[in-house]
Amino acid sequence: QVQLAESGGGSVQAGGALRLSCLVSELDYGNRCVAWFRQAPGKERELVAGIYTGGTGTYYGDSMKERFIISQDKAKRTVYLQMNNLNPADTAMYYCAGSQGDDQYCLVYRGAEFFDRWGRGTQVTVSS
C-alpha cells in the first residue's frame, strides 16, 4: 500500500522560502501522479503542483507557477515543493497526494477527488 509522508513545513516570515518533501513509500514509484495540495482554514483544498513520477511532466495550479517549483529525486522516491517569496496567504496545511496513472492521466485528472492516497500534511505558516 502506498504511503506518503510530508516534511519540511514550519514558520517563516514573508519573503522567505521553504522546501517541502514527500517520501513515497512504494516500490512502483515510477508510475504515479504525485501532487501537492494545500488547505487553509475555512477554505477548499486547492492544487499547488503535480508531477508524473515516471517522467518529467509537471503541472501547476492557477497562479502557483510563479513562486512554486515541483521536482523529484527518483532514487530517493521523494517529491519536493520549493516555495519562494512566501506571503501570509500561503499559510495552510500542505498535503502530498498520490494516484496511479501515466503522464497524460496526471495532466487531465488533477483534482483532489482523483487521488486515493494522502499524507497527513505539514503546516506552513507565513507571518507578515
Side-chain angles (χ1 to χ4, degrees), residues 29-49:
Y29 173 83
N31 190 34
R32 296 205 167 269
C33 313
V34 177
W36 287 97
F37 290 83
R38 69 183 186 183
Q39 188 167 18
K43 295 187 176 181
E44 293 186 356
R45 191 166 296 190
E46 64 176 339
L47 172 70
V48 179

Side-chain angles (χ1 to χ4, degrees), residues 68-80:
F68 296 169
I69 301 171
I70 191 169
S71 63
Q72 64 177 322
D73 185 330
K74 296 180 181 180
K76 295 182 179 180
R77 300 198 311 276
T78 300
V79 174
Y80 302 100

Side-chain angles (χ1 to χ4, degrees), residues 86-113:
L86 288 163
N87 60 67
D90 296 315
T91 295
M93 185 71 80
Y94 284 72
Y95 298 91
C96 181
S99 67
Q100 192 163 10
D102 60 18
D103 54 347
Q104 290 302 310
Y105 180 95
C106 295
L107 288 175
V108 173
Y109 298 101
R110 56 177 73 185
E113 65 270 27

Side-chain angles (χ1 to χ4, degrees), residues 2 14 16 26 30 39 41-43 56 63 75 85-86 107 119 128:
V2 177
E26 207 264 340
Q39 188 167 18
K43 295 187 176 181
T56 59
S63 72
N85 193 22
L86 288 163
L107 288 175
S128 58

Side-chain angles (χ1 to χ4, degrees), residues 13 15 22 30 42 46 54 56 58 60 69 75 81 91 95 97 111-112 117 125:
Q13 289 189 331
C22 174
E46 64 176 339
T56 59
T58 61
Y60 292 84
I69 301 171
L81 182 68
T91 295
Y95 298 91
R117 294 289 183 266
T125 302

